[in-house]
Amino acid sequence: EPEVTQTPSHQVTQMGQEVILRCVPISNHLYFYWYRQILGQKVEFLVSFYNNEISEKSEIFDDQFSVERPDGSNFTLKIRSTKLEDSAMYFCASRAGTGAKNIQYFGAGTRLSVL
Amino acid sequence: DAKTTQPPSMDCAEGRAANLPCNHSTISGNEYVYWYRQIHSQGPQYIIHGLKNNETNEMASLIITEDRKSSTLILPHATLRDTAVYYCIVRVATTGFQKLVFGTGTRLLVSP
């Protein structure tokens, strides 16, 4: 069964450093998402991406965050200058299209630890 | 999207059916009910969804009341691996970019 792949599984970084989290969505999917989950809290939407542009973003997704689909297969989330409060699990998701049968599938996540 | 209400936790004995309820009294006619689960800190896993008819797949069954104000996810023979947080999400399926809004879900503990 096709799956969303995320790398690395765990990323440790120093506060103020830039990090890039990588995702390979399911190959025929068109809609891409990033979510995050701070330890013990809800899964929160960050951003959705379609047709090479951001379609929606949450209040969390400020100027420190950016997304890119650089080569038609990878989908990346960049945090420019990490803060302690960015420590969380980050989940990538993808979906084939619109309609009830087009389900959003999630990757296993990247645990980001900011020291 | 309509708001959902789920019990914070439930217990189930291994091998028995787990019935997880969800209230969505403000659901509108074009909103679907989706169920996901999250095992430990893994990514949310899709289980099943439905509009008004009952649905069944290899993982679970979804029973939606006739007035659509509530639904029940049924895991017919729960195993220890079904221990997870289960999320009921209501949303329109055919419009927008369909972000998922997760609540706190139901923490299901399956015991031997």
Side-chain angles (χ1 to χ4, degrees), chain A residues 33 35 43 93-95 100-107, chain B residues 6 20 33-39 42-49 59-60 62 73 75 82 84-91 98-106:
Chain A
Y33 307 82
Y35 294 78
V43 177
S94 70
R95 180 169 60 85
K101 293 186 179 178
N102 289 292
I103 304 304
Q104 209 167 125
Y105 294 98
F106 287 76
Chain B
Q6 299 178 252
L20 290 90
V33 181
Y34 288 82
W35 284 83
Y36 280 77
R37 73 181 181 183
Q38 189 176 25
I39 297 173
Q42 297 175 24
Q45 178 189 23
Y46 166 77
I47 302 172
I48 199 167
H49 74 282
M59 288 183 70
L62 175 60
L73 177 75
L75 308 178
D82 292 321
V85 179
Y86 287 78
Y87 301 100
C88 169
I89 299 170
V90 169
R91 65 158 303 109
Q98 301 184 20
K99 69 185 182 199
L100 293 173
V101 179
F102 289 83
T104 52
T106 295

Side-chain angles (χ1 to χ4, degrees), chain A:
Chain A
E1 181 178 303
E3 58 181 24
V4 176
T5 306
Q6 290 186 244
T7 55
S9 56
H10 189 191
Q11 174 87 50
V12 181
T13 189
Q14 295 290 326
M15 191 169 55
Q17 295 296 304
E18 174 184 287
V19 294
I20 298 176
L21 309 183
R22 302 182 192 280
C23 169
V24 178
I26 295 172
S27 64
N28 61 339
H29 284 192
L30 301 176
Y31 296 81
F32 312 109
Y33 307 82
W34 284 100
Y35 294 78
R36 82 170 185 190
Q37 185 175 34
I38 294 171
L39 186 64
Q41 297 187 23
K42 298 179 190 178
V43 177
E44 302 172 287
F45 167 77
L46 289 178
V47 65
S48 59
F49 192 85
Y50 169 73
N51 200 25
N52 257 344
E53 59 184 29
I54 290 173
S55 46
E56 186 177 359
K57 59 184 180 179
S58 71
E59 290 179 357
I60 303 167
F61 195 89
D62 61 22
D63 292 344
Q64 292 299 311
F65 291 88
S66 62
V67 289
E68 194 179 29
R69 190 157 158 79
D71 56 12
S73 61
N74 291 286
F75 180 51
T76 62
L77 174 69
K78 178 161 59 175
I79 308 174
R80 239 176 294 280
S81 177
T82 49
K83 308 185 192 74
L84 295 176
E85 55 263 37
D86 293 327
S87 295
M89 285 292 293
Y90 288 81
F91 298 110
C92 173
S94 70
R95 180 169 60 85
T98 57
K101 293 186 179 178
N102 289 292
I103 304 304
Q104 209 167 125
Y105 294 98
F106 287 76
T110 292
R111 179 175 301 282
L112 177 64
S113 299
V114 182
L115 306 179

